[in-house]
Amino acid sequence: MLHVNYKPSTSHWLFPPIIMGILAFLAVVMLIQRALKCKKQGKPFFNFKNYHFLVANWDKVRLPGTLLLLVLYFPSMDLLGFLPASIIFIFLFNVLFVGVAQLASIPVAFKTKKFWSNPDFRSLLISLIISVVSSTLIWFLFGKVFKITLP
């Protein structure tokens, strides 16, 4: 029978090996499916001729921005703690994917005093609310209800 050594101070280390195991299993399934499809169609498993990793006209802001935010998120958890870092970075991810140009609406909304009627400002405010509520719920659910320590 499976036995798990559990210490509350290291409980956040329990999930990464489980997730990695699931990902490794799914990768093997995908490789088997690829091999069967290539065999059925008579194509080579690795076909690098005319291969492009990125599609034409790929978004040159969102991919590097996502990678940068992801890399910065982990050290920020050490500096700020889980909850503040998560709120900030979920908001930044939302802004990145909705459109960075919306940030220009902040001074306009304050200058005109029309906050809710400005759709860009309203979208930013909704993104902030989503960031605060989702991060707080995750922190409460895992950290308080399930007593799993968060980084």
Side-chain angles (χ1 to χ4, degrees), residues 54-80:
L54 299 171
V55 296
N57 300 322
W58 63 282
D59 194 334
K60 293 174 180 58
V61 174
R62 288 184 183 148
L63 178 63
T66 299
L67 295 175
L68 179 67
L69 285 176
L70 191 61
V71 167
L72 293 176
Y73 175 59
F74 298 112
S76 73
M77 282 194 285
D78 277 342
L79 293 172
L80 304 172

Side-chain angles (χ1 to χ4, degrees), residues 12 70 126 138 145:
H12 59 278
L70 191 61
I126 291 170
I138 290 169
V145 175

Side-chain angles (χ1 to χ4, degrees), residues 27 30-39 41-53:
M30 289 172 59
L31 288 172
I32 291 171
Q33 287 178 334
R34 169 83 176 156
L36 293 174
K37 181 180 175 184
C38 289
K39 185 176 180 180
Q41 294 177 349
K43 294 182 178 179
F45 189 79
F46 296 107
N47 186 10
F48 295 115
K49 186 176 182 181
N50 296 325
Y51 177 77
H52 299 285
F53 184 72

Side-chain angles (χ1 to χ4, degrees), residues 75-117:
S76 73
M77 282 194 285
D78 277 342
L79 293 172
L80 304 172
F82 175 80
L83 190 56
S86 295
I87 290 170
I88 291 167
F89 278 85
I90 289 175
F91 176 73
L92 291 175
F93 276 113
N94 284 344
V95 169
L96 179 66
F97 279 90
V98 170
V100 179
Q102 285 185 335
L103 294 175
S105 69
I106 295 174
V108 173
F110 278 100
K111 189 180 285 187
T112 61
K113 305 281 192 233
K114 295 181 180 179
F115 300 105
W116 198 247
S117 62

